[in-house]
Amino acid sequence: MHNMSNKLTQVKSRIQQAAKSANRNPDDITLLAVSKKQSVEKVRELILQGQQDFGENYLQEAIEKIETLNDQQVRWHFIGPIQSNKTRSIATHFDWVHSVDRLKVAQRLNDQRPEHLPPLKICIQVNIDGEDTKSGVNPSEVATLCREIAKLDKIEMHGLMCIPAKEGTDAFTRMQALFKAVGDEISLHHWDTLSMGMSADLEEAIDAGSTIVRVGTALFGERKV
């Protein structure tokens, strides 16, 4: 467990250095620990080290962790593909959803968000490199989708998310430009989040304006398949 503490310190140091190089405030960048396929014990250890934001891809696994750790101050982020039959559980258990890519899903999340909970914070997932194997909205369709989702009352739309192609592209720069363009085109009250960058490329993402970096391997090591 001491090793996990060291890894958390190392990742935070990378974020601080990247922010400094980009002339940004490190406090404006959230570290999202991607805890899919990781044990409750490992998540609890990071919580004890002060980590508050955790991202999960698989709903049933996530709910088990959320219920086991319900005595902890944690913000849970759903970052995986969303099936329509899973929206009720996502709307009930999570604080953030990064992977909204169609209006139907947003409407279901909105309608199924429990009344006693605050609005669900979401990001629109953008298929920035037009890959057939990835979910996400075509960049040209983002503004139209945002206009429709902005009408929903139990959702707060905060920004955009992407998973770029593995081969080097200028995806982060294009995402930064898209984020600004949509914000300039539409008056969105909470438009403040760019969720991009992972263990291998968080520095590049921060340089391009990322506000949430999603880090798994650098914190937990290689996960079980």
Side-chain angles (χ1 to χ4, degrees):
M1 291 302 182
H2 180 65
N3 187 41
M4 286 187 64
S5 176
N6 289 341
K7 287 181 177 179
L8 180 61
T9 299
Q10 290 167 4
V11 171
K12 287 183 174 180
S13 177
R14 286 176 62 190
I15 291 171
Q16 289 171 349
Q17 288 298 320
K20 181 179 179 181
S21 296
N23 294 314
R24 296 181 59 198
N25 184 346
D27 294 338
D28 292 338
I29 301 158
T30 297
L31 169 59
L32 178 58
V34 178
S35 46
K36 66 178 179 182
K37 301 275 189 180
Q38 304 296 340
S39 67
V40 169
E41 290 72 23
K42 286 185 176 181
V43 173
R44 191 185 296 276
E45 177 62 22
L46 282 186
I47 294 170
L48 292 174
Q49 298 296 329
Q51 178 63 27
Q52 288 189 302
D53 292 89
F54 291 85
E56 291 282 338
N57 291 58
Y58 308 116
L59 184 58
Q60 193 54 49
E61 175 194 339
I63 290 174
E64 291 173 7
K65 290 175 186 171
I66 291 168
E67 291 178 346
T68 302
L69 297 164
N70 65 1
D71 59 333
Q72 302 294 319
Q73 293 295 313
V74 177
R75 288 183 292 268
W76 293 100
H77 301 239
F78 191 79
I79 59 177
I82 303 172
Q83 298 169 295
S84 293
N85 64 344
K86 303 293 178 63
T87 53
R88 185 176 298 278
S89 291
I90 293 171
T92 300
H93 289 92
F94 287 84
D95 304 291
W96 279 82
V97 179
H98 292 231
S99 45
V100 174
D101 62 358
R102 54 199 189 278
L103 181 58
K104 176 185 176 182
V105 163
Q107 289 171 329
R108 290 176 66 90
L109 291 171
N110 180 78
D111 295 346
Q112 295 167 346
R113 182 70 168 172
E115 293 287 346
H116 69 280
L117 293 178
L120 182 64
K121 297 176 171 65
I122 72 162
C123 291
I124 305 300
Q125 182 171 351
V126 182
N127 191 346
I128 191 63
D129 288 316
E131 296 178 275
D132 293 338
T133 57
K134 286 182 181 170
S135 302
V137 185
N138 185 292
S140 66
E141 299 170 354
V142 170
T144 299
L145 181 59
C146 287
R147 279 197 187 88
E148 293 301 314
I149 293 178
K151 300 172 185 176
L152 303 174
D153 62 342
K154 294 180 193 171
I155 279 179
E156 278 182 7
M157 190 165 42
H158 278 258
L160 306 177
M161 180 270 260
C162 78
I163 306 170
K166 291 189 181 299
E167 298 303 320
T169 72
D170 60 347
F172 294 148
T173 302
R174 285 182 282 122
M175 281 292 296
Q176 183 180 37
L178 179 63
F179 175 77
K180 183 179 186 304
V182 173
D184 289 345
E185 183 177 341
I186 309 171
S187 179
L188 297 167
H189 187 60
H190 301 284
W191 196 248
D192 55 14
T193 301
L194 255 180
S195 171
M196 59 186 194
M198 295 186 251
S199 294
D201 55 14
L202 67 86
E203 286 87 357
E204 182 184 349
I206 288 170
D207 188 56
S210 175
T211 63
I212 298 180
V213 290
R214 309 183 306 272
V215 177
T217 303
L219 287 172
F220 296 100
E222 293 293 338
R223 65 178 181 271
K224 298 174 184 176
V225 177

